[in-house]
Amino acid sequence: MLRKHAWPLAVLFAVGAIALSACGSTGGTAQPATQSSSPDSGSGTTSDVQTLSGTARSNKADEKAGDMAPVSAPAETREKWVSLRAASAGDLDPVVINGAGLTLYRFDKDSANPSKATCNGDCAVTWPPVTVMPGGKIFFAGIKKQDIGVVKRDDGKLQVTIKGWPVYRFTKDTKPGDTLGQGVGGTWFGVTPDGQKAGPAKPVTPPPAAPDAKPATSATVFTGKNFDDFSGDNFASGITGPGCKDVRGEIKSIQPSGSLKIWSDAGCKGKSLVITEDVPDLAAIGFPAGIRSLFFG
């Protein structure tokens, strides 16, 4: 069982001096950075960082660093790790949030193929890029590992990308659930787990089980929807196989390591479903009371 405690929910960011309309209408004065397979070309690759399934909490990250560090902390502290989590915020569902629960955005004047970050200078003060140091960690929940990357900016920093799109925070978002950056200048939008522009929730259907997925040997279960293991009394638990394993608590979301059968009742009884991907809301796929057991094998 992972340790249970509360994280602070408010994070202070420096407010940019440039007007929002200016940042929505220009990409900054610096030349864009590009992403390719060669680090020598001025780009970053995922080999420059560690990508780890799960949340910062479930991976026991330093809670005084990364996304949870104050803006006044040294860059080497703030860029130790980044957390990417599929969630909902305001009217946006799904949208990616960081470890502090703040909404992440994409910029239409950037490019995803190849990756290019064009928000520099004053623009990057209002829209701070999500950066990670070389060798740093990117935790992810509800996002496919292959969709996560980095691109080298003009200042040499590595900016996190989702499906090729560089991602940013917005300085006027100060608490979880804020989406004040949505639609600014007609060019800024919350980013979805697959790199698209976030919008209102759409009907959810159970994800199809990949026929070639390897059997799961472990899973992380969360008592909070959207892989929430820090709000209130929510927590996460690591479960390992083989065979049938009961789980404790009202489980609302889950990250399997492969093909896994979930059950509505203890002892692997009741309603069941095979999953192969992260499920941010078990109620949305037919388990309103959560799940009570898992079968590995």
Side-chain angles (χ1 to χ4, degrees):
M1 180 68 62
L2 300 176
R3 184 166 58 92
K4 174 174 66 178
H5 53 279
W7 280 14
L9 292 180
V11 175
L12 298 178
F13 292 105
V15 178
I18 191 169
L20 297 181
S21 59
C23 200
S25 61
T26 180
T29 58
Q31 293 297 313
T34 59
Q35 181 178 23
S36 73
S37 59
S38 171
D40 294 334
S41 68
S43 67
T45 68
T46 50
S47 63
D48 296 322
V49 297
Q50 302 177 59
T51 50
L52 301 171
S53 177
T55 62
R57 170 68 58 78
S58 68
N59 280 283
K60 300 181 180 179
D62 180 359
E63 297 178 11
K64 295 182 180 179
D67 288 340
M68 299 306 300
V71 71
S72 59
E76 57 266 27
T77 298
R78 290 182 282 108
E79 296 179 353
K80 279 186 177 180
W81 57 264
V82 168
S83 178
L84 305 174
R85 181 162 66 90
S88 59
D91 294 330
L92 307 182
D93 187 6
V95 70
V96 178
I97 64 175
N98 71 2
L102 297 173
T103 304
L104 300 184
Y105 298 88
R106 48 168 276 181
F107 184 35
D108 279 357
K109 295 189 178 182
D110 286 347
S111 173
N113 188 22
S115 293
K116 293 181 182 180
T118 63
C119 178
N120 298 286
D122 289 336
C123 177
V125 175
T126 301
W127 301 90
V130 177
T131 54
V132 62
M133 68 169 57
K137 299 176 180 179
I138 301 176
F139 306 115
F140 62 96
I143 302 153
K144 293 181 179 179
K145 183 176 182 177
Q146 63 266 31
D147 290 343
I148 299 170
V150 293
V151 62
K152 186 172 287 188
R153 296 175 51 80
D154 269 13
D155 60 6
K157 290 183 177 294
L158 296 178
Q159 183 169 356
V160 176
T161 64
I162 298 177
K163 204 74 172 181
W165 287 100
V167 295
Y168 304 80
R169 300 186 307 273
F170 182 47
T171 52
K172 289 200 173 184
D173 286 350
T174 59
K175 64 183 185 300
D178 282 353
T179 57
L180 298 176
Q182 179 72 0
V184 169
T187 54
W188 290 94
F189 298 91
V191 62
T192 67
D194 59 357
Q196 301 301 308
K197 298 177 184 180
K202 297 180 180 179
V204 177
T205 57
D212 57 347
K214 295 181 179 179
T217 58
S218 64
T220 304
V221 295
F222 300 80
T223 58
K225 177 183 173 181
N226 295 322
F227 319 103
D228 182 355
D229 60 355
F230 62 88
S231 298
D233 291 329
N234 287 331
F235 61 90
S237 299
I239 311 294
T240 58
C244 182
K245 301 290 182 178
D246 290 344
V247 297
R248 187 173 71 85
E250 186 175 340
I251 304 305
K252 296 182 179 178
S253 53
I254 184 171
Q255 275 194 292
S257 62
S259 178
L260 179 69
K261 197 167 189 177
I262 58 176
W263 297 81
S264 60
D265 299 330
C268 291
K269 297 178 180 179
K271 181 179 180 178
S272 65
L273 180 70
V274 175
I275 61 171
T276 56
E277 297 182 358
D278 297 356
V279 179
D281 183 5
L282 285 162
I285 62 169
F287 292 82
I291 56 175
R292 296 296 180 184
S293 55
L294 316 172
F295 186 84
F296 298 91

